[in-house]
Amino acid sequence: AASRVFAFRDARWAPDPVLEPGAAVRTPQPVPLVIDNGSFQTRAGWASPDPAVPAEPLLRFRSLAARSRGARGGAGAETQVGNDLGSPEPLRWLLRSPFDRNVPVQLELQELLFDHVFQRLGVASQGCVDHPIVLTEAVCNPLYSRQMMSELLFECYQVPKVSYGVDSLYSFYHNRRQNWPCSGLVISSGYQCTHILPVLEGRLDAKNCKRINLGGCQAAVYLQRLLQLKYPGHFAAITLSRMEEILHEHSYIAEDYIEELQKWRSPEYYENNMHKMQLPFSNKLLGSTLTSEEKQERRQQQLRRLQELNARRREEKLQLDQERLDRLLYVQELLEDGQMDQFHKALVELNMDSAEELQSYINKLSLSVEQTKQKILQAEVNIEVDVVDSKPETPDLDPLGSEQSLEDVESINEFEPLFAEEQPEVEKPVAAVQPVFNLAEYHQLFLGTERIRAPEIVFQPSLIGEDQAGIAETMQYVLERYPKEQQAVLVQNVFLTGGNTMYPGLKARVQKELLEMRPFQSPFQVHLASSPVLDAWYGARDWAVEYMTREEGWITRKDYEEKGGEYLKEHCASNVYVPIRLPKQAPRTTEALAPSRALTSSTGNPCEQA
C-alpha cells in the first residue's frame, strides 16, 4: 500500500532566461520564428535547416498573465507572464488569458505574450521584428480574430511576412507517411476544445469539421468538484494545479466505461488500483514528537503564565477593595464628626441599615486587603524560585471564602487541563504517546473511479450536464456525411493529437468505437502522434523550413495593406479562406423616386392616406 502513495510535486515554474540567438539565426537572412499559440501553453523557437540552430522549442510557458495592483509605496502595477508567475495558485484570481475557448480575443494580453517571446528569444532588431512569423490559429478561425492578429503583427511589430496554420494539421503534417498528400480523420483534443477534422488529399474539408466544447480544462474542474465533495475538510487544498497533475499522471480512459465501473465495485480491484495522493501536512500537532526536556520547559512556562495571571488578578482585586474600603472609612468619619444627615444619606446610597453593618463591612474588607497583600508578596517570592516539581502547587485559598479566593479557584480550574497529562511523577516513554488517528492518512486523497470519470467527459459530456455529443457520436456524424468510398479512405488514417489525447487507453477506446460503428470486417487504422503536445510546433517548423524561400502560404505586408487583415494565403496545413462578401444594394434612381413623389404630392399627408 505504501508504494501507491503519491506526493504532489507542486512544482514551481522557473523564470525563462533571456537567450542569445546565434549568428545562424540572422545570416544569410533572418530565419522564421515559429510560435505555437495554444490556449494552454505557448511554444516558440527558430526554424532553420542549420544544425547549429536547435530544432526544439526554446520557450514553453503557460498562456497566462497577471497584473498586480501596485505597491503602497508608489510603485506601479507589475505584469508577469508565463513562467515568471512562479505558481498560479496564489494569483488564481488575478490570472487572465487572451483566449475565449481557443480563439484569441484579448489582443492587449496577446501583445504581452508576444513581448515575452521576442524579449526572451533575444530579438534585438530596433523598432521591429525582422523575422518571418509562423503562427498557429484555431480551426475555422473567425475573420475578426485573424484581422486583429494581423494588425498586431504588421502594425505593432512590423514583421515582414506571416503565415497562419492549424496546430492539429501541422501535427498531422509532421507525422505524415511516405505517400503525401494523404487523407485521414484528425481527432484533436486540447485544453478547451475537441475537434474532428476530415482531411482529403492533404487539404482540410472545412465544411464538415465539428467541434466539441470540452477539453482538459473542463476535466480538471470536474475532478476538482468530485474531490471537494468527497473531502470537504480539504476544500482549499484541492486546487486546479493539483487536479491537472492527477489528470496527467494518474488518469486513464476506460475501454468500456460501464464494465470498468463494475470492476471498481470489487474490493480487491479497488485496493489494487486505488491511488493515494498525499497532501502536505505538519507533524507539529503530534504530542509524541516532544522530548521530556521540552515537556518540562513547556510545563514551567505554563506555570509561570498561571502565576502571572493570578498576580495580575490579585492586584486588580486589591485596587478595587482598597477603593471600597476608603469609601466606607469616609462614611465612618462622617459619623464621628457628627454629620448625621450626610451619614444617613451615605448609608442609603450604600444600601446599609445601621452603623454596626457598616463596621462589619469595614472589618471584612480590611482583612481581605491584608490577605491579598500577603499573597502578592508570597507570589513574588515564588516567581524568583525555579520550579522543579512536575505538579504545580495550588495557591492557598482564602479561609473566609471571600470573592477574591473564588476567582483564584476559577483561574486554577481553567488551567487544570494543561497539567492533567503530567500528574504521574514517573515519565512515560515517548513511544507510548500515540495520536488519536494517523495524521498522514487523514491528509490523503483516495482516487478510485475518479481516475476514469474525469477524462470520460469527452466521450460522455452528459456526465457534467453538457448537452453535446461525444467523440464517438461526432466522429460517426462526420463520416456519414461522405459516401462509403471516402469513409473507407478516412478511417484508414484516424490520427489522434493534442495534449488531451495522452491518456492511457484512449487509442484502444477509439478503436473500440470504430469497431462498433463500421461495417463488419471493414479495415481501419488509428495512429497516435509521436509527441501529441509538441508535434504541432515540430510540424510548423518543418513547413517553415520547406517553404522558407517560396511565396506559397506567406502573407506579406503588401498583401495586408491591399487585401486587409483577414486575408489568408492557403497551404497544406491552413484554414480555408472565405472572404467577406457584402450584399450589393441596388441604387435608387431618380426615375424610381419620381412616381412616389408625385403620389405624395397628390394625396397630401401620407399619414392620412394610410
Side-chain angles (χ1 to χ4, degrees), residues 485-506:
E485 294 77 11
Q486 289 186 342
Q487 289 185 24
V489 173
L490 290 175
V491 297
Q492 287 302 313
N493 188 14
V494 178
F495 181 69
L496 306 176
T497 185
N500 203 41
T501 62
M502 298 179 65
Y503 296 113
L506 179 63

Side-chain angles (χ1 to χ4, degrees), residues 12 19 29 37 69 106 159 230 267 298 312 373 401 441 509 533 559 582 605:
R12 292 184 59 86
L19 304 175
Q29 60 182 358
N37 193 32
R69 299 178 181 177
Q106 300 287 341
V159 299
K230 188 176 181 180
R298 176 175 294 185
R312 186 165 57 253
K373 291 180 179 180
E441 186 174 348
R509 176 66 175 270
V533 175
D559 296 331
L582 297 177
N605 191 350

Side-chain angles (χ1 to χ4, degrees), residues 222-234:
Y222 179 49
L223 179 60
Q224 183 186 34
R225 291 178 180 176
L226 287 178
L227 293 181
Q228 284 178 344
L229 288 173
K230 188 176 181 180
Y231 299 99
H234 304 305

Side-chain angles (χ1 to χ4, degrees), residues 323-596:
E323 292 177 357
R324 294 175 60 189
L325 180 59
D326 294 341
R327 170 74 173 167
L328 296 181
L329 291 176
Y330 172 74
V331 175
Q332 191 179 28
E333 290 178 358
L334 294 178
L335 177 61
E336 295 175 355
D337 295 342
Q339 301 178 10
M340 301 304 295
D341 294 338
Q342 298 181 6
F343 173 72
H344 289 294
K345 186 177 180 180
L347 282 182
V348 173
E349 292 178 355
L350 294 174
N351 197 16
M352 295 184 183
D353 298 331
S354 61
E356 290 78 9
E357 186 177 359
L358 174 63
Q359 187 63 41
S360 174
Y361 272 100
I362 290 176
N363 294 337
K364 289 182 180 180
L365 278 178
S366 300
L367 182 59
S368 176
V369 168
E370 290 298 328
Q371 290 180 350
T372 304
K373 291 180 179 180
Q374 294 285 339
K375 291 179 180 179
I376 290 176
L377 294 175
Q378 184 65 29
E380 292 177 354
V381 174
N382 291 338
I383 290 178
E384 296 177 359
V385 180
D386 292 334
V387 180
V388 178
D389 190 7
S390 61
K391 184 176 181 181
E393 295 181 359
T394 305
D396 296 333
L397 301 180
D398 190 357
L400 297 179
S402 63
E403 297 178 4
Q404 193 273 340
S405 61
L406 290 176
E407 290 188 5
D408 288 345
V409 173
E410 293 175 358
S411 64
I412 293 298
N413 292 335
E414 291 177 4
F415 289 84
E416 196 170 6
L418 298 175
F419 310 103
E421 63 177 2
E422 301 297 334
Q423 290 178 0
E425 296 184 358
V426 180
E427 292 187 358
K428 295 182 180 179
V430 176
V433 181
Q434 295 294 336
V436 179
F437 59 90
N438 189 343
L439 193 61
E441 186 174 348
Y442 174 74
H443 287 83
Q444 288 177 359
L445 307 180
F446 287 48
L447 300 180
T449 56
E450 293 83 7
R451 297 178 59 195
I452 62 173
R453 286 184 187 275
E456 181 67 20
I457 64 173
V458 294
F459 288 93
Q460 300 185 52
S462 60
L463 290 176
I464 59 175
E466 291 289 340
D467 189 13
Q468 301 183 49
I471 288 181
E473 293 87 346
T474 307
M475 185 166 50
Q476 184 176 6
Y477 177 80
V478 170
L479 290 175
E480 289 177 350
R481 298 175 69 89
Y482 294 96
K484 294 184 179 180
E485 294 77 11
Q486 289 186 342
Q487 289 185 24
V489 173
L490 290 175
V491 297
Q492 287 302 313
N493 188 14
V494 178
F495 181 69
L496 306 176
T497 185
N500 203 41
T501 62
M502 298 179 65
Y503 296 113
L506 179 63
K507 182 178 178 180
R509 176 66 175 270
V510 173
Q511 290 175 341
K512 173 182 174 297
E513 299 290 349
L514 282 172
L515 185 63
E516 294 178 354
M517 71 178 67
R518 295 298 299 159
F520 179 65
Q521 291 186 347
S522 61
F524 60 86
Q525 294 183 9
V526 180
H527 304 282
L528 182 64
S530 57
S531 177
V533 175
L534 297 178
D535 275 356
W537 188 91
Y538 291 141
R541 178 191 174 277
D542 296 343
W543 183 91
V545 171
E546 184 177 350
Y547 289 81
M548 186 183 301
T549 58
R550 304 184 192 178
E551 295 184 359
E552 179 184 354
W554 293 101
I555 306 171
T556 62
R557 184 173 184 85
K558 183 179 179 181
D559 296 331
Y560 165 73
E561 293 174 349
E562 291 181 356
K563 302 177 182 179
E566 69 276 3
Y567 177 67
L568 173 69
K569 275 192 177 179
E570 297 182 8
H571 55 88
C572 61
S574 71
N575 279 308
V576 177
Y577 176 55
V578 180
I580 299 177
R581 294 184 177 89
L582 297 177
K584 295 183 179 180
Q585 296 181 355
R588 302 181 65 184
T589 61
T590 57
E591 291 78 5
L593 294 175
S596 62

Side-chain angles (χ1 to χ4, degrees), residues 198-252:
V199 179
L200 295 174
E201 299 298 328
R203 294 307 304 273
L204 174 68
D205 185 10
K207 293 183 178 180
N208 294 320
C209 293
K210 296 299 173 183
R211 181 181 69 182
I212 306 170
N213 287 324
L214 291 174
C217 176
Q218 289 74 24
V221 173
Y222 179 49
L223 179 60
Q224 183 186 34
R225 291 178 180 176
L226 287 178
L227 293 181
Q228 284 178 344
L229 288 173
K230 188 176 181 180
Y231 299 99
H234 304 305
F235 192 91
I238 301 175
T239 62
L240 279 177
S241 299
R242 289 172 177 167
M243 298 306 101
E244 291 172 358
E245 182 178 337
I246 291 177
L247 286 176
H248 295 164
E249 301 182 6
H250 303 278
S251 298
Y252 65 97

